[in-house]
Amino acid sequence: MQQKTSDRNAVMHIDEVAQYQAGRYISSNEATWRILSFPIHERSPAVIHLAVHLENGQRVYFTASNVQQRALNPPATTLTAFFHLCQNDAFAKTLLYSDVPTYYTWNASRKVFARRKRGEQVIGQPRIFKETTIGRLYTVHPNQDECFFLRMLLLGMPSPTRSAAASFDVELRHEQNYNIMDLSSYVSSNIPKLTLEQKGIYDKIMQTINSGNGKIFFLDAPGGTGDFRQTLPVIPRSTPADEINASLKRSALWQHVKTLKLIKNMRVQLQNDRSAEISSNQLLDIGNRKVPVDLTSGKISLPHNFCNLVTSKGELVERVFPDIQTNFKNPNWLSERAILAAKNKDVYQLNNVIQSRIQNETVTYKSVVEVDEAQVNSTIVSKPTHLRMGVSTVHAFERLSKNAREMGYQQPCCFLKHNIALNLTVDVPKMSLGNSLSLPVPNNLTSSCEKCKLTIGFKNLYADM
């Protein structure tokens, strides 16, 4: 340790260890105690560490000679011993996992819990004794979600034992909880609405059910139901290979699965749109690996009529929203076009480009998630998020506040112009706009948001400001 003196340039060196050794005094009693190796201190109460792991997830030590035996019969842990104890001991069923060491001792050689033979007798339990020993479960990071929630259950649920038959009975009762008359009425009213392709699949499944022959069916329908082109499992912090290996096609059950396919694009058929049909077939060809792949780069060459390429964001805006200064008040024109972007920063840049082409006054609006009555008439924004919302704005409002906080802003706000349209990403069947959405007054922009005109189109829902 170095200590500065009054002289700024002088440094005093202090050796605290040497000072302690030089000034320490050991009496004859302490010296004798240490010479005889008597314990210097005690710990009370004793703490037993309790394992937390998933099924077959315990740590196993093995050698080259016993690796197969350890793999087939892994040693018990305090957790598996607790489960076994609850199956054979009525008193243990009343205890939490962390309370077991108080009434039972852990036999490390036999890997079992045994009742204590000494200690304070439990009232009403003539052969049960307890000590001050406590159990502590190992911590689990929340990212290990299944193990983390298992630990939470162990901390609050006694006797975590339920046979496989009991678990099956619960699931069976849940599956059988339906109204046969309502389901029959629903099926009979919807069968006539099926297409020939859908009716064929329905008949195959019903034939299997009526014949009593069990089968596993997989419905492959591009664009949604069971589409392997876009529904790979999501595994946090994994590689593409991990996601592929976790997919259903890599399962041992896949060889027993009967695949049924829906090929016809109903959206194209209903709208009778030839260009949409061509685009749909091209997307299917890419998903089905029918497009040639360059062996050197690993990339594919898109068909010449697949899309129109642009060289800048300004050109993209001009292609999608031509003559926007005149057309931005037309709801039908707006509902037929939109620009999608993968990142919010690109959305913001496109919004700025689009809105800059509309020569109207800009008004700032502030988003409030929670309102305090004492702050209603006061300014509660010290550093607003500068976000411009213009024509064809595609933005998830439920993420706006979170993104603003991550950027260091206390409260997000947006800049709107008179009579512009705001496209919202919403669930149209439920007609829910989100909790943190505020829209300005049409034709009269003020400092507060009161009402707006909503127009529902086939493709999207937008607000006409």
Side-chain angles (χ1 to χ4, degrees), residues 259-312:
T259 303
L260 303 176
K261 294 187 177 182
L262 288 174
I263 302 176
K264 187 172 297 184
N265 191 315
M266 297 303 300
R267 185 179 301 172
V268 173
Q269 182 176 351
L270 292 175
Q271 295 181 355
N272 195 23
D273 189 341
R274 176 59 182 168
S275 62
E277 182 179 3
I278 295 175
S279 177
S280 175
N281 293 333
Q282 289 175 338
L283 291 175
L284 288 177
D285 290 340
I286 295 175
N288 294 329
R289 300 181 180 180
K290 294 182 179 181
V291 178
V293 180
D294 189 335
L295 298 179
T296 58
S297 63
K299 299 180 180 180
I300 63 174
S301 298
L302 297 176
H304 67 280
N305 61 342
F306 181 76
C307 62
N308 297 320
L309 301 178
V310 296
T311 58
S312 64

Side-chain angles (χ1 to χ4, degrees), residues 15 40 46 104 124 145 168 213-214 228 301 313 315 363:
D15 190 341
I40 302 300
Y104 297 82
D145 46 7
F168 178 77
N213 298 325
F228 282 115
S301 298
K313 293 179 180 178
E315 183 181 356
V363 179

Side-chain angles (χ1 to χ4, degrees), residues 99 118 120 153 170 195 278 288 308 344 373 384 403 436:
D99 295 335
R118 294 180 300 178
E120 180 183 352
L153 289 174
V170 173
T195 64
I278 295 175
N288 294 329
N308 297 320
N344 285 336
E373 294 183 0
N403 292 341
S436 60

Side-chain angles (χ1 to χ4, degrees), residues 277-391:
E277 182 179 3
I278 295 175
S279 177
S280 175
N281 293 333
Q282 289 175 338
L283 291 175
L284 288 177
D285 290 340
I286 295 175
N288 294 329
R289 300 181 180 180
K290 294 182 179 181
V291 178
V293 180
D294 189 335
L295 298 179
T296 58
S297 63
K299 299 180 180 180
I300 63 174
S301 298
L302 297 176
H304 67 280
N305 61 342
F306 181 76
C307 62
N308 297 320
L309 301 178
V310 296
T311 58
S312 64
K313 293 179 180 178
E315 183 181 356
L316 175 63
V317 172
E318 185 61 33
R319 292 283 191 93
V320 179
F321 300 100
D323 196 13
I324 192 173
Q325 180 63 38
T326 304
N327 295 322
F328 76 93
K329 296 182 180 180
N330 185 347
N332 296 327
W333 183 81
L334 288 173
S335 65
E336 295 175 349
R337 60 202 71 228
I339 298 177
L340 302 180
K343 296 182 179 180
N344 285 336
K345 66 175 184 178
D346 295 322
V347 174
Y348 302 153
Q349 293 176 0
L350 288 169
N351 288 336
N352 292 334
V353 172
I354 295 172
Q355 195 164 223
S356 65
R357 303 189 179 190
I358 301 176
Q359 304 301 323
N360 283 334
E361 178 187 0
T362 301
V363 179
T364 302
Y365 290 93
K366 302 168 183 178
S367 171
V368 179
V369 179
E370 296 181 359
V371 179
D372 187 351
E373 294 183 0
Q375 296 177 329
V376 170
N377 297 321
S378 63
T379 303
I380 57 177
V381 178
S382 60
K383 188 179 181 183
T385 302
H386 296 285
L387 172 64
R388 288 183 171 272
M389 309 295 283
V391 176

Side-chain angles (χ1 to χ4, degrees), residues 90-107:
F91 178 74
K93 292 182 179 180
T94 65
L95 302 177
L96 296 176
Y97 184 32
S98 57
D99 295 335
V100 170
T102 303
Y103 305 91
Y104 297 82
T105 59
W106 172 245
N107 190 318

Side-chain angles (χ1 to χ4, degrees), residues 179-191:
N179 189 303
I180 297 179
M181 298 300 296
D182 291 344
L183 291 178
S184 300
S185 175
Y186 176 83
V187 171
S188 60
S189 62
N190 282 276
I191 287 180

